[in-house]
Structures are given as C-alpha cells and as structure tokens.
Amino acid sequence: MLNAIAQKTEQLAVWLIRILLSLLTGLFFFLYPALYSSPAFASIAPEPPIPTAAIEWDGQAARVPDWSQISFRTLPPVMSEGAFRAPPEVANAVGYDLSRSWEAGQTADTYLKLGDFQTSLYPQIFNLHTIATFNNLDLQQVALGYMEMAAWQTINALVTAIPGLSNLPANQVKPIAQLLSKTVLSANLSESIGALLSEMPALGQLLLGDLGEQLNSFAITDIPGLDNIPLQNLKDWGNSTIEGVPGLADIPLDKMPSPIGAVGMFAKVDVT
C-alpha cells in the first residue's frame, strides 16, 4: 500500500513539474520576440514581453528572466484548459489536495497552490503583515473573505494558530462573535473565547465559512494576530491558491522566503 502511494505521489510530482516547466518554456519564448515574427507564433505573442536582466556566468553572457520583476500573476497564462484529480491517499501523503482544474488564459496564481511550493519557495513561511508590506496593502481595508483559507478555519483552529487569541473576550474578535451569536443566542460574548470553548466544546468546530458572504464585511485585522502568524499555522494552508492569499501573487519571485536566483535558472549546455 505504501509503495502504491509513493508511486502515485511521484507521478503527481512529475505532473506538477511539467506544469512549471511549461511556464518556464513560455518564459523562453517571451525572451526572444524575434521568434514571433513568424505567422505561426503571431497568435500567441504576449505584450509586453517578460522582463529580462543581463548576467555573466562562467565567462558567458546571457539574458535571463528578471525575477525581481516577475511574480506568479505575471507568469505566462496557461494555453489550454485541463483538470487533474488526485486520489485521497495521495493527498493524505503530501498533506494537501493536488486536484485542480484550469481554463485557457488563467494565470499561474489562480491554479497553483501554496502546497506546490512548500519545499521550494516556502511561501507558507510568510505572514500577511510581511506580504502587505511588500505590496503597500492596508489589511484594515482587505476583506477577510478575500483570504481563501479563512473560510476553512474553525474556532479551534484559530485558537491553536494564533497565540493569545483564546484569552480575548469573544466580543473583541468580531467574526467569532458573529459566528457565536448566530449559533448560541445565550452565549456571553464578554467571556474569553477559551472560557466559552471550555463551557461548550462543540463551539470549537464552528467554521468561519458558515458566515457566508458576511466574511466580506470583516477585515483581516478583525481577528487580532491573524496577520502576524506564518500561513503554515492555519488549517489546510497547502490547499490555498496563490491568489487566495492577499498580495502573495504580486510578490516578485526573488523575494520569496527561498527566492529564485538568476544564476539558478541559467546553465551552459555542451551540444558538441
């Protein structure tokens, strides 16, 4: 059984690598606009081309993608639709669901997930405050519903993820207060969240997603401390798309916790 899971996991990893290689292949074509002078390429020529930078390596000059100006949102859009469904045992083995679908024209941030890069770029180490600083985002103005994984969080998950949250009165954490008041009319919201969970443990299983569209009426900062914890503290973080983390899709790839470097993308090939 374990061997079968390992084989399926390896197959899925190869599939994911192929997607990423196709993106980088797209970058290659973007770097050489002359290729698009042919009518065969005219229909897919992007404007403007991907930014490049000049480097010298081992005595060789080259132009490579300028990762300081390239983000997931600006990577080449996928050229055709597709879908993939991973078996549940594989999702359990890798810690997130590799299943997804995409349409022609979608950018990478809309179908690639945090879990896809958990051992390469390590986006899960970021917190929302750091991401917002890169993008000059005011998290007081960003709706909680814009954060994809927010809907997956239970009260228990939030208390586990955010140090000190359980000590706050429930009425100081607006989304949780709203969730509790919808569920238990008699709840004393002046009590701490921890005390309420001790009295009624079942409340810990309530999902923020149960608020539905109301999530958009709260700001990310309405949950104190949410912006200062690593994304990996949150439940099912690996299933979030890049787009599902406010501002992450616009961070240059050379500013990731484990950044892409220019030289790391350049190699000399001897074809003689």
Side-chain angles (χ1 to χ4, degrees):
M1 178 64 176
L2 290 177
N3 286 339
I5 292 176
Q7 289 175 350
K8 289 179 180 177
T9 302
E10 182 178 356
Q11 290 170 356
L12 291 173
V14 169
W15 166 81
L16 181 58
I17 289 169
R18 284 175 177 169
I19 286 182
L20 297 178
L21 286 176
S22 71
L23 290 173
L24 294 175
T25 300
L27 284 175
F28 171 81
F29 285 110
F30 290 172
L31 300 180
Y32 296 92
L35 289 175
Y36 294 111
S37 60
S38 165
F41 289 101
S43 64
I44 61 171
E47 292 291 343
I50 288 290
T52 64
I55 68 166
E56 186 172 328
W57 180 75
D58 195 23
Q60 301 291 319
R63 297 199 67 83
V64 298
D66 183 353
W67 300 110
S68 70
Q69 299 186 56
I70 299 170
S71 67
F72 278 106
R73 196 186 305 278
T74 60
L75 283 172
V78 68
M79 301 304 292
S80 59
E81 66 178 15
F84 185 85
R85 182 154 300 280
E89 61 269 24
V90 173
N92 290 336
V94 299
Y96 74 106
D97 187 3
L98 280 82
S99 302
R100 70 200 70 194
S101 61
W102 56 90
E103 301 292 334
Q106 277 188 250
T107 50
D109 58 302
T110 63
Y111 61 86
L112 295 179
K113 301 180 179 183
L114 296 186
D116 297 337
F117 304 97
Q118 61 186 301
T119 58
S120 53
L121 298 177
Y122 294 91
Q124 70 272 19
I125 295 175
F126 270 141
N127 61 47
L128 293 173
H129 176 76
T130 299
I131 295 170
T133 301
F134 275 118
N135 293 285
N136 294 316
L137 281 179
D138 181 357
L139 293 178
Q140 292 181 334
Q141 303 300 319
V142 178
L144 185 58
Y146 184 49
M147 185 181 186
E148 185 178 0
M149 69 181 85
W152 312 332
Q153 306 308 307
T154 63
I155 295 179
N156 277 343
L158 290 172
V159 165
T160 300
I162 304 173
L165 186 68
S166 63
N167 298 325
L168 295 178
N171 56 18
Q172 290 186 17
V173 187
K174 295 177 183 177
I176 289 180
Q178 181 64 26
L179 191 57
L180 292 173
S181 63
K182 283 181 60 175
T183 307
V184 184
L185 298 179
S186 60
N188 181 1
L189 299 182
S190 64
E191 288 191 67
S192 72
I193 295 171
L196 287 170
L197 294 180
S198 294
E199 295 166 13
M200 295 173 279
L203 296 179
Q205 301 306 314
L206 296 176
L207 281 166
L208 286 184
D210 292 338
L211 291 173
E213 290 299 317
Q214 280 188 296
L215 271 182
N216 292 321
S217 67
F218 300 107
I220 284 175
T221 52
D222 283 333
I223 299 181
L226 178 60
D227 58 335
N228 287 317
I229 60 169
L231 296 172
Q232 64 186 359
N233 280 23
L234 294 166
K235 179 184 177 184
D236 293 336
W237 60 268
N239 285 318
S240 174
T241 59
I242 302 296
E243 180 189 44
V245 178
L248 182 59
D250 297 310
I251 290 185
L253 295 179
D254 74 337
K255 296 296 189 295
M256 288 287 169
S258 180
I260 293 180
V263 175
M265 298 303 298
F266 176 51
K268 183 172 69 175
V269 179
D270 186 356
V271 295
T272 60

